[in-house]
Amino acid sequence: MGFACRSKVANSGKRQILSFHIPSDIPDLQSLFLKTMDHDLATMSPATVGFIAHSALEHLVRTHPSIACALWRETLVDAAIFREWIVNMGVRPAAARMAHLLAELRQRMAAVGLSNGEEFEFPVTQSELGEALGLSTVHVNRVLQAFRAERVLDLQKLCDDRGL
């Protein structure tokens, strides 16, 4: 259980979160073929992670074509989500960026049984949301406050001071 993110740090020292990963994701499948990754992968909350040796995955892919197809499909879905993130950063206004991200996470969490379709746990700070959406922390706060005022979003902070 737990959340992770992929990110890169620019020469300026600012971090850009490239994706969020929920429990059940395989966020590092790319490393099966790319031995050196160009980004970081880190947990964002306490997490239980599993490591699968590349040799074991390579054997599975060679001997079980259906598993190879499933892993390939996972990679294609990951790429489709990444393309949406590019559109989000490039052309959507701040409120639409936030709404798209929250809707994406709601759907992904529901698909693996971690949401009832209405609510889900997302232990992220406003600063981390800003790093994912290309917004300042102040702008993230304004968007969240507007969503609250419009009764579009009900945020509940967890007792460990993580989260919104």
Side-chain angles (χ1 to χ4, degrees):
M1 204 64 167
F3 289 79
C5 72
R6 284 188 218 166
S7 65
K8 286 189 80 144
V9 176
N11 290 340
S12 65
K14 291 182 74 174
R15 178 172 78 153
Q16 175 67 54
I17 292 178
L18 306 169
S19 58
F20 289 116
H21 294 280
I22 64 171
S24 81
D25 278 354
I26 306 174
D28 198 29
L29 197 53
Q30 298 168 12
S31 69
L32 183 59
F33 296 104
L34 302 173
K35 301 305 179 194
T36 303
M37 300 309 296
D38 65 347
H39 61 276
D40 298 316
L41 177 63
T43 59
M44 303 183 71
S45 66
T48 300
V49 296
F51 294 92
I52 305 169
H54 285 171
S55 58
L57 275 177
E58 290 164 349
H59 176 73
L60 278 173
V61 167
R62 279 194 310 275
T63 58
H64 299 286
S66 61
I67 292 176
C69 286
L71 294 176
W72 181 234
R73 183 180 186 286
E74 172 71 19
T75 301
L76 294 173
V77 168
D78 191 48
I81 292 170
F82 189 70
R83 286 189 295 275
E84 279 300 315
W85 275 53
I86 291 171
V87 171
N88 223 21
M89 294 291 291
V91 298
R92 291 186 180 124
R97 289 182 201 180
M98 181 79 69
H100 182 273
L101 173 64
L102 295 174
E104 171 199 316
L105 288 167
R106 182 193 66 209
Q107 290 303 110
R108 289 175 53 207
M109 298 286 281
V112 295
L114 296 173
S115 167
N116 61 10
E118 294 295 320
E119 56 186 52
F120 57 92
E121 181 180 334
F122 185 41
V124 64
T125 64
Q126 289 184 16
S127 177
E128 290 164 335
L129 271 179
E131 291 173 336
L133 298 172
L135 303 171
S136 70
T137 304
V138 170
H139 204 154
V140 167
N141 186 274
R142 286 182 187 145
V143 171
L144 292 173
Q145 292 301 327
F147 282 179
R148 284 180 179 134
E150 295 165 12
R151 297 180 154 221
V152 172
L153 186 63
D154 179 23
L155 300 175
Q156 296 179 7
K157 190 172 184 179
L158 298 176
C159 60
D160 67 357
D161 289 332
R162 284 286 298 165
L164 306 172

